[in-house]
C-alpha cells in the first residue's frame, strides 16, 4: 500500500500538470497519440492509472483468481503487442473470473476519461504516517545525537525500507 499510495500521489501530480498546461487529453489511460510526439505525453499517467485499473479488477475478483489471471495473461501475450481492447477482451472473457463481479467496471471511463481514475482506492497509510511523524519530530524537536529521541529514531530508521526513508526525507524538506 505504501508504494501504491506514492504512485497515486505521482499520478495526481501528473494530472495536475497536464491540466494546468491545457493538455488534459494526456491524462487518459488510452490517449490518442496520432501526430503527437510521444515524449510530450510521457508521464506517470499510463503506469499509475493502469495500476489502479488492475487493482480495481483485483479488488472485484479476489486475489487468487487475479493471480491466476496474471499468469495466464502473461503466458498468452508474452512477446506480443497488446492493445487496450485486447486486454479488455481477455479480462471480460477470462473463465477464472466471476464475470458478474466486473459488471460495474466502466471500461470507457477507465480508458477514455481525462483526469484521475474513476475509482480511487484508499490505501493503508501506516508506513507513510510513521515517516511523516518522524520527519516532523526531526524538524521540530530538539534532537541531539545521543538523546533518547535520537536513539528511538535510529531504531525506527533501521527497520524502514529505502522508499520509506526517502519519503521521510522528502517530508522533512516540505516542513
Amino acid at each position: 500500500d505504501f508504494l501504491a499510495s506514492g504512485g497515486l500521489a505521482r499520478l495526481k501530480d501528473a494530472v495536475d500538470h497536464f491540466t494546468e498546461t491545457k493538455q488534459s487529453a494526456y491524462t487518459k489511460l488510452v490517449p490518442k497519440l496520432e501526430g503527437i510526439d510521444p515524449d510530450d505525453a510521457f508521464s506517470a499517467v499510463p503506469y499509475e492509472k493502469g495500476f489502479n485499473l488492475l487493482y480495481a479488477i483485483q479488488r472485484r475478483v479476489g486475489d487468487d483468481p487475479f493471480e491466476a489471471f496474471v499468469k495466464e495473461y502473461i503466458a498468452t501475450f508474452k512477446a506480443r503487442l497488446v492493445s487496450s481492447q485486447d486486454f479488455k477482451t481477455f479480462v471480460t472473457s477470462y473463465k477464472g473470473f466471476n464475470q458478474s463481479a466486473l459488471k460495474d467496471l466502466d471500461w470507457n471511463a477507465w480508458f477514455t476519461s481525462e483526469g484521475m481514475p474513476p475509482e480511487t482506492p484508499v490505501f493503508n497509510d501506516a508506513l507513510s504516517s510513521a515517516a511523516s511523524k518522524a520527519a516532523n519530530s526531526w524538524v521540530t524537536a530538539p534532537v541531539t545525537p545521543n538523546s533518547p529521541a535520537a536513539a528511538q529514531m535510529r531504531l525506527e530508521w533501521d527497520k524502514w525500507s529505502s522508499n520509506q526513508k526517502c519519503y521521510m526525507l522528502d517530508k522533512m524538506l516540505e516542513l
Side-chain angles (χ1 to χ4, degrees):
D1 281 0
F2 178 71
L3 295 176
S5 181
L8 194 60
R10 284 186 295 284
L11 174 60
K12 183 178 180 336
D13 289 345
V15 167
D16 289 348
H17 166 75
F18 283 127
T19 301
E20 289 168 9
T21 60
K22 309 280 189 256
Q23 297 175 314
S24 59
Y26 295 152
T27 66
K28 296 177 181 181
L29 183 56
V30 185
K32 296 192 183 317
L33 296 177
E34 294 82 22
I36 296 172
D37 182 348
D39 289 342
D40 292 342
F42 182 79
S43 72
V45 171
Y47 302 100
E48 298 303 335
K49 216 171 194 181
F51 163 79
N52 280 279
L53 172 57
L54 291 172
Y55 191 68
I57 294 167
Q58 182 181 7
R59 283 193 333 265
R60 283 172 169 80
V61 300
D63 293 341
D64 292 338
F66 186 77
E67 185 177 327
F69 160 79
V70 169
K71 289 177 182 177
E72 188 165 331
Y73 179 83
I74 291 169
T76 302
F77 292 106
K78 66 182 172 193
R80 290 182 44 201
L81 182 62
V82 181
S83 71
S84 301
Q85 187 58 48
D86 294 335
F87 174 76
K88 176 185 173 185
T89 299
F90 194 79
V91 170
T92 57
S93 63
Y94 180 65
K95 302 288 187 231
F97 286 163
N98 173 356
Q99 289 296 324
S100 66
L102 296 171
K103 68 181 178 198
D104 69 331
L105 190 72
D106 185 345
W107 289 96
N108 189 51
W110 276 101
F111 285 166
T112 63
S113 291
E114 295 178 358
M116 293 298 285
E119 301 172 28
T120 304
V122 176
F123 298 111
N124 180 326
D125 69 347
L127 296 177
S128 58
S129 291
S132 292
K133 181 180 173 188
N136 191 51
S137 294
W138 278 46
V139 170
T140 60
V143 178
T144 59
N146 296 320
S147 70
Q152 180 60 36
M153 286 181 175
R154 275 192 297 280
L155 287 173
E156 287 180 39
W157 179 268
D158 290 342
K159 295 176 190 172
W160 288 355
S161 69
S162 58
N163 286 319
Q164 194 175 9
K165 291 174 183 178
C166 288
Y167 182 85
M168 181 195 144
L169 295 171
D170 286 343
K171 287 297 175 189
M172 288 176 69
L173 293 173
E174 292 174 9
L175 296 174

